[in-house]
Amino acid sequence: MVNLRSLLLSLAFTFLPTLTLAQSEPSTPTVNTTNPTIDPCTTLGSRNGTNITYTDVSDCYKFIPFNRAQANTTLTTLYTLYNDFYVFRDASRNPIQLPPFSNESVDILGELDRIRGLGYANDFQFHADVRAAVGSLRDVHASYEVNCYTAYSFVQPLYLYAPVINVTQYVRVYKDNLNRNMQLEDCIVTTIDNVDALTYLRQAADELVHYSHDPNVRLNAVLTSQRYRNITGDIIESPGEFSRSRYLPKAAFVDYQLKCANSESPLMLRAEWIVEKLTNAEFDDRESYVENVCRAEPRVLPTPPSPPTRPSPGSPHRPSRTSSARRTSSHTPPPPRHTRTVHPPKRRQTVYAKRQYPAEPSPSPSPSLEPEPLPSPSPSLSPSPSLSPLPSPSPSPPIPSLPLPAQQYTHTQKTAISSDTTAFYQSLQKPTLGIMVVHSFAGGLPESEFDTILAGLSDLHARNVTQLLIDLQVSEGGDVEFATRLVQMLFPNATVEGLGIGVDMRVNPSIQRLSKAILDEPQISGAPYDARMFVSLEDNNRHRYNDNSLFMKSTATIRFGRSANYTNPTTLFIRPLPSHITSAVSTFPWTNNPTQIRLVTNGLCTGACGIAAYLLSSVQKVQPYGIGGSQITPLSMFSSPGSLGTTLETIQQLYADHGIQSPMRDLPYKNRVPFSPPSQLYINNLASTIEETK
């Protein structure tokens, strides 16, 4: 097995180990065969979170009857959301053909209408189809999840990855979490459910992963990867979406055929799903399950507004509609800062970077930091036995064994300085090389976060580091302001105005009423319909909005055959870095010097992470390197179209807080339904893929 971290430090990369989970796909309604005289939810509730089987959960889920009235409420609300609020409603109808992207045309409104016309044997199948329809948009800010059918997780004991060995890519066992005496680590997985293993995982990735248009990034998402754990400051394994999922798999078990170095005959194994309870709700039958796990609580409305009064002379704010408990000050506070989860825009131009592979794997030396083993699932959570050998086919030649990859950067020394978002390492083999692991783009952190990052970079400089490797493998979405300012720490010659990325948003009369009310109530957060968050780009006269003209001066635009109103081009307001930071970083040898900086990603970099990857590679011309995916195939640097993400629940609460009737009804079930109000549309020369070469 290839030592991934040592390869990373030498800038010669192979595929990350990864793992995937089985999950239900869009289904054709079938007849419910559950015995109607027995309530399987009673059985499931009696398990008390232990010894739960796949059948226990499946039977309870499918015992909940389909409710046509609830389904109509759900579909009507989602139709309004995607028709009147979702900015990519029309862009999603345009298929992306630029390799390696694979994106079919999706008419989400047509899909919702199609589902409305179907009949269902149970409620579970209806929600599975809705989830699949929304997931087909492949937008990380467009998904449909209800608590009712994500109350349990399903885990496979085998973790898988797909390294390239001697110019050939195999699926292998990264770790066996239950049967260590079987010595399955590093065995080649030849088939899964009687299908070629790599083919099976690619197909599973297309079904399970809904946030990337790149099938190779989706493959990375279903395999085992490594992530930085900020609490303990080490790198741990992440099993991937094939081996751990909150969604009901298709069957109670998975069949594997393995080829191991210690056996001449192929080994056939059947691995049952380990089930873990995620909800704290108690129930003892179907009705109490629906009431306690599924049903959404009635929305609590704010205190009725007081009669309008004329402000006293010099009063800095208008009377609030909300109770005094919501007010943070008797004076007008500065416009609230919000977590801006922003995704990179649709790809327009391909910029390539070389990906290298080692000619021959070599044994991995001991890691410089002691790895912490991933705890095995508790046997009490699994039926026994979880792995059962099946009859073996004819013998086959043995295969060479490979060392397991380390769980830390090998041949490195971690510095004493780390922050809530970054960690720093120095290469021992090449002491002039430093590594900045950006493991989070979280928003809402104090300004001192950038002082800590400065301290980490200063420490590398004091160690005579002259080259910087930026690792974005473990990063996801977050705050676009943080991403922009982080890039400015490396390239202070670039202003935040120059790093800003243009957006536009859908507009309708309901949004206009809401945005006006948000400006009238500065004490209440109004993202993403708070105009003060944005900067005007009209007539090249950049200024921050202090009125509602952004939403009131909309423009009718036809996109892919449909007309809708959009705001004029705008961009998010970003605060510049303090001068003491830009002055301090100017002394570093890599500052404003893209030849001394490298970027590494596995394509799972989404949202604000994607913005940072774009600004570094395409705007500042930093060379990117990719890890994972499929052999001899380009890999995209980041995933999902650009947007400022929010949720249906957030928008509904905004309407309620400001006393405005929402055009959408609340969904019957507890839910998480994110979507994209604004889009990132005005990026030129977008670096979208990393070319793979031997």
Side-chain angles (χ1 to χ4, degrees), residues 66-76 116 126 665 668:
F66 175 62
N67 185 310
R68 173 64 69 180
Q70 287 188 172
N72 283 336
T73 297
T74 299
L75 293 172
T76 299
R116 192 188 296 271
F126 164 74
R665 294 180 61 184

Side-chain angles (χ1 to χ4, degrees), residues 317-340:
H317 70 279
R318 295 175 56 182
S320 173
R321 289 191 182 94
T322 59
S323 65
S324 59
R326 289 184 176 270
R327 299 180 183 176
T328 58
S329 171
S330 60
H331 299 284
T332 304
R337 294 187 61 239
H338 310 288
T339 299
R340 306 180 182 100

Side-chain angles (χ1 to χ4, degrees), residues 20-23 52-55 153-157 193 200 208 241-245 247-254 256 270-276 381-383 386:
T20 56
L21 283 172
Q23 175 184 3
I52 303 171
T53 68
Y54 169 92
T55 301
S153 68
F154 303 87
V155 183
Q156 276 289 293
D193 286 344
Y200 179 95
L208 297 174
E241 297 185 35
F242 172 75
S243 297
R244 179 180 292 273
S245 176
Y247 306 106
L248 185 70
K250 298 176 183 178
F253 52 81
V254 177
Y256 300 91
R270 173 163 290 177
E272 298 180 5
W273 290 98
I274 301 166
V275 182
E276 299 173 344
L381 299 178
S382 170
S386 177

Side-chain angles (χ1 to χ4, degrees), residues 156-158 179 193-194 252-257 267-273 385-390:
Q156 276 289 293
L158 297 185
N179 291 266
D193 286 344
N194 298 316
F253 52 81
V254 177
D255 287 335
Y256 300 91
Q257 178 177 297
L267 177 63
M268 303 294 293
L269 292 176
R270 173 163 290 177
E272 298 180 5
W273 290 98
S386 177
L387 278 176
S388 55
L390 299 178

Side-chain angles (χ1 to χ4, degrees), residues 268-350:
M268 303 294 293
L269 292 176
R270 173 163 290 177
E272 298 180 5
W273 290 98
I274 301 166
V275 182
E276 299 173 344
K277 185 178 180 181
L278 301 180
T279 178
N280 293 323
E282 299 294 333
F283 57 92
D284 53 19
D285 57 15
R286 178 175 64 187
E287 285 68 28
S288 58
Y289 181 88
V290 171
E291 188 64 30
N292 298 337
V293 179
C294 307
R295 191 85 64 196
E297 298 178 0
R299 185 173 304 281
V300 178
L301 298 178
T303 303
S306 302
T309 58
R310 183 180 301 276
S312 58
S315 175
H317 70 279
R318 295 175 56 182
S320 173
R321 289 191 182 94
T322 59
S323 65
S324 59
R326 289 184 176 270
R327 299 180 183 176
T328 58
S329 171
S330 60
H331 299 284
T332 304
R337 294 187 61 239
H338 310 288
T339 299
R340 306 180 182 100
T341 308
V342 179
H343 273 266
K346 301 259 184 189
R347 284 82 176 171
R348 292 189 176 180
Q349 179 173 335
T350 305

Side-chain angles (χ1 to χ4, degrees), residues 249-512:
K250 298 176 183 178
F253 52 81
V254 177
D255 287 335
Y256 300 91
Q257 178 177 297
L258 307 179
K259 184 191 295 185
C260 302
N262 58 2
S263 174
E264 294 184 357
S265 300
L267 177 63
M268 303 294 293
L269 292 176
R270 173 163 290 177
E272 298 180 5
W273 290 98
I274 301 166
V275 182
E276 299 173 344
K277 185 178 180 181
L278 301 180
T279 178
N280 293 323
E282 299 294 333
F283 57 92
D284 53 19
D285 57 15
R286 178 175 64 187
E287 285 68 28
S288 58
Y289 181 88
V290 171
E291 188 64 30
N292 298 337
V293 179
C294 307
R295 191 85 64 196
E297 298 178 0
R299 185 173 304 281
V300 178
L301 298 178
T303 303
S306 302
T309 58
R310 183 180 301 276
S312 58
S315 175
H317 70 279
R318 295 175 56 182
S320 173
R321 289 191 182 94
T322 59
S323 65
S324 59
R326 289 184 176 270
R327 299 180 183 176
T328 58
S329 171
S330 60
H331 299 284
T332 304
R337 294 187 61 239
H338 310 288
T339 299
R340 306 180 182 100
T341 308
V342 179
H343 273 266
K346 301 259 184 189
R347 284 82 176 171
R348 292 189 176 180
Q349 179 173 335
T350 305
V351 179
Y352 293 104
K354 293 183 178 180
R355 189 186 327 173
Q356 302 171 348
Y357 293 94
E360 187 76 24
S362 58
S364 303
S366 300
S368 59
L369 297 176
E370 185 67 22
E372 178 177 325
L374 193 70
S376 301
S378 171
S380 65
L381 299 178
S382 170
S384 180
S386 177
L387 278 176
S388 55
L390 299 178
S392 300
S394 57
S396 60
I399 59 172
S401 178
L402 296 172
L404 287 174
Q407 290 178 252
Q408 294 289 357
Y409 283 104
T410 57
H411 297 297
T412 67
Q413 180 180 10
K414 186 179 181 183
T415 71
I417 299 175
S418 61
S419 73
D420 288 332
T421 58
T422 54
F424 299 90
Y425 295 80
Q426 181 183 18
S427 171
L428 298 179
Q429 290 182 324
K430 186 179 180 182
T432 57
L433 176 65
I435 304 103
M436 180 170 69
V437 179
V438 186
H439 55 81
S440 172
F441 283 81
L445 297 174
E447 282 292 287
S448 59
E449 176 69 14
F450 288 95
D451 290 310
T452 306
I453 297 173
L454 174 61
L457 293 172
S458 299
D459 182 62
L460 291 180
H461 184 218
R463 295 167 180 259
N464 297 317
V465 166
T466 59
Q467 296 175 312
L468 190 63
L469 177 67
I470 303 171
D471 186 354
L472 298 180
Q473 294 178 80
V474 297
S475 300
E476 296 180 352
D479 187 87
V480 71
E481 180 176 79
F482 174 84
T484 306
R485 299 175 92 192
L486 184 66
V487 172
Q488 195 188 24
M489 288 193 74
L490 303 173
F491 294 90
N493 286 352
T495 64
V496 291
E497 291 81 11
L499 295 174
I501 297 175
V503 306
D504 65 3
M505 288 175 280
R506 292 287 305 277
V507 178
N508 58 52
S510 177
I511 290 175
Q512 290 174 331

Side-chain angles (χ1 to χ4, degrees), residues 24-25 27-34 40-41 57-68 70-71 115 118-130 148-149 248 286 290 669:
S24 39
E25 62 181 0
S27 57
T28 301
T30 58
V31 177
N32 187 354
T33 58
T34 304
C41 295
V57 180
S58 177
D59 286 352
C60 178
Y61 280 3
K62 296 176 183 179
F63 193 59
I64 299 173
F66 175 62
N67 185 310
R68 173 64 69 180
Q70 287 188 172
I115 293 173
L118 299 177
Y120 288 90
N122 55 62
D123 187 65
F124 168 78
Q125 291 178 337
F126 164 74
H127 289 284
D129 277 7
V130 173
C148 198
Y149 303 117
L248 185 70
R286 178 175 64 187
V290 171
Y669 284 170

